[in-house]
Amino acid sequence: MDRTVPRAPRPAGRTVAYDPSAAPSGLHVRAAAVLEAGWTGSSTVPSRGLYPHQWSWDSAFIAIGLRHLSPLRAQTELETLLAAQWADGRVPHIVFNPSVPLDAYFPSPDFWRSSTAGRAAGAPRTVQTSGIVQPPVHALAAWLVHLADPGLSRARGFLARVAPRLAAWHRYLLHRRDLGGAGLVSVVHPWEQGMDNSPCWDRPLSRVTPAPARSFRRADLAHGSPADRPTDLDYGRYVRLAAGYRDRGYADEPGGAGRDGRSSGDFAVEDPAFNALLIASEQALARIVRELGADGSARLDRAERLTAALLERLWDPAAGMFLCRDVRAGEPIPERGVSGLVPLLLPGLPRDLAATLVRTVCGPHFGLGGTTRLVPSYDLLGEAFDPHRYWRGPAWFNTNWLLERGLRLHGERGRADALRKGLLHTAGASGFAEYVDPYTGQACGAAGFGWTAALTLDLLHDRPAWDRNGLTANEQRGDRG
């Protein structure tokens, strides 16, 4: 970790998110210690035991928290991840650390075979990665990291170096992953969406013949209770899907190829959270290119078109939220997952629709402010609800952080403040757990989890209120950091 020392006060009137002279609280010190323990010298592992490599969207969230400790380290976190980008633009969901034994995590590099199976797609030769992706939070993270210390960012040319890679990443998603032909991005594996074991995937996964349990060894069960983890049946399906994608050379077939379900493989789903995060990152990338002296209007226009497609394609008035869409079956998936609430972070939502989402968040299906302190990952009333099993009910800190932003953005300050308070209390009480029981706050999964600690730091630091356009008050006035 670079040891950032306090610097002289900045000129009056210049807003800087990063304040190294702020007196840290006990929770702040504990959260910082988690990130220090996970630092490898160039990136941060989510968990030394369970997740000993670099994960894509974990690093984006971790960078958002790291900016309050060391803007330089936050920049390095994102630069390390983007250095493993494939030539086709994809940012892989895992960048493997060669010093970690192969049996420490499955699927390991010898399963993905990125340098050989991914050769046609432009996988890097000097580092081993997976061949699938995760949600595109990276441009949003890069912009927030820049705002933490604009002087350092400009001196290092941080945005100038990451902007082309972020643009290529978005281009890959928009052009190679529009498998439904309606403008939205599809995921081809549950691990890509990030909410791996959600009941939202049960229906499309039921078409997948699982790999035999004897054909793989699950390293995750050595670090967590089997009752909290995916079943062997589900894991067998994950392995089968990933192996099939690998054996096709990680090839994507855009332009509606998934309508009959054949050329897109056995799994292709349009997910509201994945697409909402792409929209938020397109808006952030527009600000990045403006900072670099270019015109960001085309990206803002694209964000508007994606928002319109999201509303047209995935909004379900009866459910009062967004639903996933099974591209192969050509129909919505009738399950209420937290993914369908995440679009609340978008400033372009119609006011009545945003109000409906807030009612759903606080209603009987998710219970925020009533039966639950944090928003669960799945419908409290759903048949598959389990308060402890991975993404089938527990509350996660990254999705709740996104919803806190969304509530605040749409004028729900009281609810946002209550959620922030609940997040901070639960993070500290649970030992920065990977996820928790939404009713009791009981810790589940890995302890000392990276993004839990990082987002705790972000919530501990004051940050500007966001208006309905997603711009801070300083940005509206034209201040440049």
Side-chain angles (χ1 to χ4, degrees):
M1 176 178 180
D2 68 294
R3 304 292 181 181
T4 307
V5 296
R7 290 168 289 177
R10 290 176 171 81
R14 188 177 179 202
T15 301
V16 178
Y18 170 60
D19 181 6
S21 64
S25 66
L27 188 60
H28 185 288
V29 170
R30 291 170 57 203
V34 170
L35 296 181
E36 176 69 15
W39 179 244
T40 68
S42 58
S43 64
T44 310
V45 299
S47 164
R48 282 287 183 184
L50 185 54
Y51 305 107
H53 302 284
Q54 183 179 26
W55 261 258
S56 173
W57 75 327
D58 290 74
S59 276
F61 288 119
I62 286 169
I64 289 169
L66 274 178
R67 67 193 175 117
H68 302 295
L69 297 177
S70 168
L72 176 58
R73 209 171 101 186
Q75 292 175 28
T76 302
E77 183 82 34
L78 295 173
E79 290 165 350
T80 300
L81 176 70
L82 292 172
Q85 185 173 30
W86 291 27
D88 66 2
R90 82 181 74 197
V91 176
H93 98 294
I94 302 175
V95 181
F96 289 105
N97 182 342
S99 67
V100 174
L102 285 178
D103 62 359
Y105 181 80
F106 179 84
S108 52
D110 57 344
F111 173 88
W112 295 104
R113 306 171 202 160
S114 61
S115 59
T116 53
R119 185 177 298 139
R125 296 183 179 182
T126 57
V127 63
Q128 294 294 312
T129 75
S130 66
I132 60 175
V133 303
Q134 276 190 324
V137 198
H138 310 90
L140 175 61
W143 179 242
L144 294 176
V145 166
H146 165 78
L147 291 178
D149 194 331
L152 175 68
S153 175
R154 292 170 188 145
R156 294 188 68 245
F158 170 64
L159 292 182
R161 282 183 288 110
V162 301
R165 291 185 176 273
L166 294 170
W169 169 219
H170 290 195
R171 189 161 54 246
Y172 165 78
L173 293 173
L174 292 164
H175 294 289
R176 302 301 302 172
R177 287 298 191 89
D178 180 12
L179 302 180
L184 295 181
V185 174
S186 292
V187 296
V188 298
H189 196 290
W191 290 340
E192 291 199 311
Q193 195 271 352
M195 304 177 193
D196 311 2
N197 198 38
S198 170
C200 296
W201 317 137
D202 289 354
R203 181 175 291 192
L205 275 177
S206 68
R207 297 190 294 264
V208 179
T209 301
R214 65 182 180 278
S215 66
F216 58 90
R217 187 190 68 81
R218 295 181 58 180
D220 63 314
L221 297 181
H223 302 281
S225 167
D228 293 351
R229 307 296 299 172
T231 65
D232 283 344
L233 177 62
D234 285 331
Y235 218 90
R237 287 176 169 139
Y238 303 153
V239 171
R240 176 76 72 183
L241 271 180
Y245 191 43
R246 176 200 64 202
D247 294 345
R248 295 194 301 275
Y250 299 110
D252 302 302
E253 304 211 23
R259 285 173 179 164
D260 62 3
R262 293 171 186 160
S263 52
S264 64
D266 292 315
F267 186 98
V269 173
E270 293 170 347
D271 173 75
F274 195 104
N275 282 279
L277 290 168
L278 176 59
I279 293 166
S281 276
E282 272 289 293
Q283 294 166 340
L285 191 50
R287 293 176 194 130
I288 288 171
V289 300
R290 282 207 305 261
E291 165 67 23
L292 295 173
D295 182 6
S297 59
R299 296 202 173 274
L300 294 177
D301 290 344
R302 184 178 296 116
E304 288 185 7
R305 293 195 299 272
L306 284 168
T307 301
L310 184 74
L311 294 170
E312 174 66 26
R313 188 87 163 164
L314 303 185
W315 175 251
D316 188 292
M321 62 185 295
F322 293 88
L323 298 179
C324 298
R325 184 175 182 84
D326 185 339
V327 173
R328 177 174 179 179
E331 61 186 16
I333 299 171
E335 298 284 0
R336 293 178 170 90
V338 70
S339 170
L341 305 175
V342 169
L344 189 62
L345 66 86
L346 299 177
L349 291 184
R351 289 183 182 273
D352 59 338
L353 190 147
T356 299
L357 272 178
V358 171
R359 287 195 296 272
T360 301
V361 170
C362 300
H365 293 284
F366 294 93
L368 182 64
T371 56
T372 64
R373 194 169 197 176
L374 302 183
V375 181
S377 52
Y378 177 65
D379 184 359
L380 297 170
L381 305 180
E383 291 184 7
F385 175 78
D386 184 329
H388 289 179
R389 194 177 288 278
Y390 205 64
W391 290 108
R392 300 181 83 83
W396 289 71
F397 291 84
N398 64 330
T399 53
N400 276 270
W401 179 85
L402 292 167
L403 291 174
E404 191 269 351
R405 287 184 69 116
L407 289 168
R408 201 171 298 281
L409 175 67
H410 291 285
E412 296 287 342
R413 180 175 178 179
R415 289 189 169 100
D417 288 345
L419 180 52
R420 176 184 180 274
K421 182 178 179 180
L423 279 164
L424 292 175
H425 171 82
T426 306
S430 69
F432 304 100
E434 183 180 2
Y435 49 98
V436 298
D437 183 311
Y439 293 121
T440 68
Q442 177 185 340
C444 302
F449 197 69
W451 74 31
T452 304
L455 298 176
T456 295
L457 286 171
D458 192 60
L459 291 169
L460 284 171
H461 283 256
D462 292 334
R463 50 190 170 81
W466 290 66
D467 73 356
R468 284 188 59 80
N469 294 317
L471 299 174
T472 68
N474 289 331
E475 287 178 309
Q476 291 179 58
R477 289 194 298 268
D479 296 348
R480 295 174 63 85

